Amino acid sequence: MANQNLYNYILGIADNSLVLGQRLGELCGHGPSLETDIAGTNISLDLIGQTRSYFQYAAKVSGKELTEDDIAFLRLERDYRNVLLVEQPNTHFGYVIARQYLFDVFHLLFLNELQYSKDETLSAIAKKGIKEVSYHKRFSGDWIKRLGDGTEESHEKMQEAVDDLWRYTDELFEMSEDDQQMVSEGIGVDLPKLKESYYDEVSELLSEATLEIPERKYFSYGGKNGVHTEHMGYLLADLQYMQRTYPNMQW
Amino acid sequence: MSEKEVKNLEAIFEARIARDEKIEPKDWMPEKYRKTHIRQISQHAHSEIVGMLPEGNWISRAPSLRRKAALLAKVQDEAGHGLYLYSACETLGVSRDELYDQLHSGKAKYSSIFNYPTVTWADIGAIGWLVDGAAIINQVPLCNTSFGPYARAMVRVCKEESFHQRQGYEIMLTLCNGTEEQKAMAQDALNRWWWPSLMMLGPTDAESIHTEQSMKWKLKRKTNDELRQQFIDQTVPQADILGLTVPDPDLKWNEERGSYDFGEIDWDEFWQVVKGHGPCNKERMNARVGAWERGTWVRDAAMAYAEKQEEKKVSKAS
Amino acid sequence: MKKNWPLWEVFVRSKNGLEHRHFGSLHAADAEMALENARDVYTRRNEGVSIWVVESKHITASNPENNGELFEPAQDKVYRHPTFYNLPDEVKHM
């Protein structure tokens, strides 16, 4: 492979979009109102679109005869590099929103840096993504406020979701070897640098939504090294079903 | 209003429609016109949102990213179309919640085609090709229907739906150009969806109770049997291009009529599904009702939040 | 407590230079949500550059029963239209 670090690095970014897009896609037709179904699908479509751009680029970087779909569908679970946060299930709408917001804030900070990457393709994808993700964050942030400061029931549910998902936030800033290599080459984003802004921004919004900021010393990691939560296997069973059942066919 | 006055208004009303004038929500209209439109438009809206379910079933399993995006966009369009149609219906003085209640209680009908299961990926192709194909035949004439909000909604729907059928046909085409296994999958899907698609165009004219009135109000331009014939005539050559066999041994080109003759439709099956005993009637309703009930706390929260914000604004101002 | 999301009317400017046109309606709990929903529902095919939303109850509509008194009196005001004035063909640019 021409540049294994870069290839891995692209996959790390893309898998977050792929897996979150997949989770949102599961919801289509099952949300609390037609309007939210349409909004959720839009976000999912943005994420799948980003995924395709990244994977098409990764396929080129690989120097092999790979397609975007080979990369998306034909890896083993241990080879998916998304963070644990995005694979968490649609337990209820509060979880959907909390997962989205906790990721969106990171995602936007991340793309804002990635646009200055020395790698022109990544920079271009980031620039396009910034507009999309700004909207995602606006959508999820507004909903955090509505649910947090809505009814007693919604407040409890929203708090529950934030508390449960909080432990996956620190992983967002974990640096893999590929991350480090890419930062040193001026291509990748130095994640720990984003951490303070992230928690400041999230905390401010949670407070506005009358929610408590979880106090937690212990966090969960592993996604970036391919060690996922138990939910991931089922997500992949769905995602990969066709490609695994009918190998080597065009669709 | 006296009976004579009503009769007079009705005559003026019918004459307006005959002149191709549009009726707008605040115009006087016969009660029957209002009721018929609420029934038909809401049935149409329900069909869109229940129709999201069989296709939504395959979003998470779509075989490529391109197909996944296209399917997501299509199912999303259906939500949009449901929304346009509910909105059109609401101009007649009935709320979306009331319409949902009618759907959830089983009082309102939706297109029975959506009570069939999508068991393979080829079903997604077949639905786009056949079900959307039949729907387009039904819908295009409605762009000129007499009730303004319905006609406007349909213009938007038809414009957006143009990609749906192509999306489905392209899936079928790819399967038919693929391996034996893929082709068999496509044929199997056609076998299962062909007859329900024909039924989708409604009972035969002899059995159709609303046709005459609907023609007058331009809710219909052609009878069910005419539409069915049109659908068959345009779809059979498309099946030929795919190299698939339409599952009807009696299907034969009739030179004299310039149309295909076709076999007997199993109307018992049709009525069984309409009456709630199709393969997925229960599942579809459970999914709709479940989504609505699970969403109650969310919708309530949003209202409560909006009210709090409004109060804050007021207290700041004073 | 059962309060439904109210109905909003959506107006979209398709491109700069054109007026906002009524596109349809939707349900939303507040103005912000109405705007976001309108963006997702009515501009997902690139149909707009600007959106207005207004809660439907704030729109006052004329009643078609009064159409006679409201609109017919304008019908015979032909002098408001340029064709009312006869000028010889030689007069240009007018």
Side-chain angles (χ1 to χ4, degrees):
Chain A
M1 174 139 346
N3 189 340
Q4 185 73 45
N5 288 122
L6 177 60
Y7 179 79
N8 290 347
Y9 187 69
I10 302 169
L11 261 50
I13 307 171
D15 284 346
N16 286 337
S17 294
L18 171 68
V19 170
L20 188 55
Q22 174 78 359
R23 275 288 183 235
L24 288 171
E26 293 168 7
L27 264 185
C28 181
H30 304 277
S33 80
L34 266 183
E35 284 83 354
T36 46
D37 265 354
I38 294 171
T41 317
N42 260 355
I43 297 177
S44 177
L45 279 169
D46 285 343
L47 292 168
I48 301 290
Q50 294 167 6
T51 307
R52 294 187 66 190
S53 307
Y54 287 125
F55 283 163
Q56 283 163 12
Y57 181 44
K60 219 190 273 171
V61 168
S62 77
K64 297 184 203 151
E65 297 267 310
L66 283 177
T67 66
E68 60 180 66
D69 289 330
D70 294 334
I71 304 175
F73 296 97
L74 293 175
R75 279 178 287 153
L76 300 175
E77 177 171 333
R78 289 287 270 107
D79 296 329
Y80 283 84
R81 290 154 194 280
N82 57 281
V83 292
L84 301 177
L85 175 65
V86 293
E87 72 200 41
Q88 298 311 305
N90 303 321
T91 308
H92 61 56
F93 195 69
Y95 280 81
V96 173
I97 291 299
R99 182 184 64 205
Q100 192 65 39
Y101 181 71
L102 292 174
F103 183 69
D104 289 343
V105 175
F106 164 78
H107 200 187
L108 189 57
L109 289 168
F110 175 80
L111 293 179
N112 272 331
E113 292 300 317
L114 190 65
Q115 67 175 323
Y116 302 114
S117 169
K118 272 191 191 157
D119 184 298
E120 281 175 19
T121 311
L122 285 182
S123 162
I125 300 175
K127 279 182 184 144
K128 180 165 179 288
I130 285 170
K131 293 178 195 150
E132 295 169 344
V133 175
S134 306
Y135 184 79
H136 303 173
K137 190 178 83 174
R138 170 176 164 166
F139 176 84
S140 60
D142 281 351
W143 269 104
I144 295 259
K145 288 189 270 178
R146 288 190 191 103
L147 299 180
D149 193 15
T151 62
E152 219 170 288
E153 185 188 4
S154 74
H155 177 85
E156 269 171 37
K157 285 197 145 97
M158 196 66 239
Q159 187 70 58
E160 175 201 6
V162 170
D163 288 348
D164 269 6
L165 295 178
W166 195 257
R167 67 177 161 135
Y168 300 114
T169 52
D170 200 54
E171 190 195 7
L172 295 165
F173 309 99
E174 191 191 27
M175 291 289 279
S176 67
E177 271 176 42
D178 297 310
D179 286 323
Q180 270 154 8
Q181 182 60 35
M182 286 298 105
V183 171
S184 71
E185 290 180 31
I187 293 174
V189 176
D190 190 3
L191 299 171
K193 268 196 186 160
L194 308 177
K195 200 164 166 175
E196 201 183 323
S197 319
Y198 176 85
Y199 282 109
D200 283 351
E201 183 176 346
V202 169
S203 303
E204 193 181 332
L205 186 101
L206 291 184
S207 305
E208 196 188 334
T210 72
L211 293 163
E212 303 222 356
I213 293 123
E215 276 186 44
R216 192 177 248 287
K217 288 199 193 88
Y218 303 105
F219 291 91
S220 299
Y221 309 89
K224 295 186 77 161
N225 292 313
V227 182
H228 294 276
T229 55
E230 288 181 350
H231 305 294
M232 186 68 174
Y234 296 95
L235 182 141
L236 290 180
D238 265 1
L239 181 77
Q240 301 185 335
Y241 169 69
M242 289 296 291
Q243 293 271 350
R244 293 289 190 205
T245 313
Y246 306 94
N248 302 318
M249 298 183 198
Q250 299 299 313
W251 301 97
Chain B
M1 222 182 291
S2 76
E3 214 174 296
K4 201 177 150 200
E5 281 171 314
V6 172
K7 277 263 172 290
N8 188 28
L9 280 172
E10 273 176 6
I12 296 171
F13 180 84
E14 300 291 348
R16 285 182 64 193
I17 294 181
R19 281 198 303 273
D20 257 339
E21 276 181 37
K22 297 284 182 225
I23 306 302
E24 293 298 340
K26 293 190 80 158
D27 291 347
W28 183 88
M29 61 185 75
E31 199 43 35
K32 198 173 162 210
Y33 182 91
R34 182 188 305 277
K35 285 215 170 106
T36 303
H37 276 77
I38 291 176
R39 198 191 66 234
Q40 173 156 341
I41 301 170
S42 65
Q43 208 167 303
H44 196 160
H46 298 329
S47 300
E48 295 282 356
I49 62 160
V50 177
M52 294 169 72
L53 299 168
E55 289 178 283
N57 187 31
W58 278 89
I59 290 174
S60 65
R61 291 178 293 169
S64 71
L65 292 178
R66 178 172 177 268
R67 293 285 178 216
K68 192 189 287 289
L71 185 59
L72 267 167
K74 178 174 190 251
V75 178
Q76 184 194 42
D77 272 351
E78 278 150 18
H81 298 168
L83 193 151
Y84 306 154
L85 289 160
Y86 282 125
S87 300
C89 209
E90 284 182 89
T91 65
L92 288 165
V94 52
S95 72
R96 196 195 290 178
D97 282 64
E98 288 172 75
L99 297 171
Y100 274 167
D101 280 345
Q102 291 172 4
L103 175 67
H104 296 163
S105 67
K107 210 180 126 204
K109 298 266 176 274
Y110 55 88
S111 184
S112 52
I113 191 102
F114 301 119
N115 290 316
Y116 289 86
T118 47
V119 293
T120 71
W121 170 250
D123 290 12
I124 300 308
I127 288 183
W129 171 36
L130 301 172
V131 176
D132 287 284
I136 290 168
I137 286 185
N138 251 331
Q139 289 172 352
V140 167
L142 288 172
C143 296
N144 277 316
T145 192
S146 65
F147 185 54
Y150 193 24
R152 289 191 288 274
M154 290 316 300
V155 168
R156 189 172 280 276
V157 168
C158 286
K159 204 163 108 195
E160 296 185 348
E161 274 203 353
S162 52
F163 97 79
H164 293 184
Q165 199 191 8
R166 294 173 72 99
Q167 178 256 175
Y169 194 76
E170 196 197 73
I171 291 175
M172 295 303 271
L173 203 57
T174 311
L175 293 174
C176 291
N177 290 330
T179 62
E180 279 307 307
E181 220 174 349
Q182 285 176 302
K183 194 159 182 191
M185 191 193 283
Q187 181 65 55
D188 170 61
L190 173 59
N191 293 349
R192 283 179 291 107
W193 289 94
W194 174 256
W195 291 104
S197 301
L198 297 190
M199 294 176 198
M200 198 185 147
L201 293 151
T204 53
D205 296 348
E207 299 247 359
S208 179
I209 42 175
H210 303 298
T211 297
E212 199 191 335
Q213 183 69 80
S214 297
M215 291 277 213
K216 231 167 57 194
W217 288 339
K218 300 178 180 168
L219 274 170
K220 253 191 178 163
R221 288 287 161 104
K222 288 180 181 170
T223 70
N224 294 349
D225 288 334
E226 286 168 341
L227 293 172
R228 197 164 8 249
Q229 186 70 60
Q230 184 188 337
F231 174 73
I232 293 170
D233 290 346
Q234 73 182 43
T235 308
V236 173
Q238 295 166 352
D240 291 343
I241 292 174
L242 294 172
L244 296 178
T245 311
V246 173
D248 177 358
D250 296 323
L251 188 82
K252 222 177 92 203
W253 178 251
N254 182 326
E255 195 64 59
E256 208 174 299
R257 289 202 304 125
S259 269
Y260 283 93
D261 292 334
F262 55 97
E264 193 67 40
I265 292 171
D266 181 357
W267 290 110
D268 286 343
E269 179 183 322
F270 174 76
W271 291 114
Q272 180 182 341
V273 181
V274 170
K275 290 183 177 147
H277 307 288
C280 298
N281 295 59
K282 237 186 127 137
E283 287 79 355
R284 300 295 182 241
M285 246 342 84
N286 288 345
R288 280 315 318 160
V289 174
W292 186 245
E293 286 176 352
R294 280 192 307 275
T296 305
W297 70 272
V298 176
R299 295 190 303 276
D300 287 350
M303 260 340 273
Y305 176 78
E307 279 163 10
K308 282 187 204 171
Q309 294 304 106
E310 204 52 44
E311 277 164 28
K312 269 187 208 161
K313 241 193 256 169
V314 172
S315 67
K316 232 186 227 166
S318 61
Chain C
M1 182 191 109
K2 188 174 153 71
K3 266 208 181 148
N4 299 321
W5 291 359
L7 195 65
W8 298 70
E9 300 301 323
V10 179
F11 300 82
V12 176
R13 185 201 295 288
S14 351
K15 59 176 190 190
N16 273 4
L18 295 179
E19 66 276 69
H20 286 78
R21 201 165 59 79
H22 185 233
F23 260 46
S25 44
L26 48 75
H27 288 269
D30 54 56
E32 199 53 38
M33 194 199 285
L35 211 52
E36 287 170 13
N37 289 347
R39 176 258 195 195
D40 289 330
V41 172
Y42 288 105
T43 65
R44 66 186 187 282
R45 280 182 172 76
N46 215 0
E47 293 98 330
V49 296
S50 162
I51 303 176
W52 290 345
V53 290
V54 57
E55 214 180 316
S56 309
K57 69 175 186 201
H58 295 310
I59 291 183
T60 310
S62 65
N63 189 335
E65 278 171 34
N66 303 332
N67 276 10
E69 64 197 65
L70 287 176
F71 305 117
E72 278 171 32
Q75 282 172 9
D76 65 355
K77 310 286 192 293
V78 284
Y79 42 79
R80 291 196 199 276
H81 301 280
T83 46
F84 177 74
Y85 302 94
N86 293 317
L87 296 184
D89 289 346
E90 303 90 81
V91 183
K92 302 291 180 201
H93 307 297
M94 196 173 284

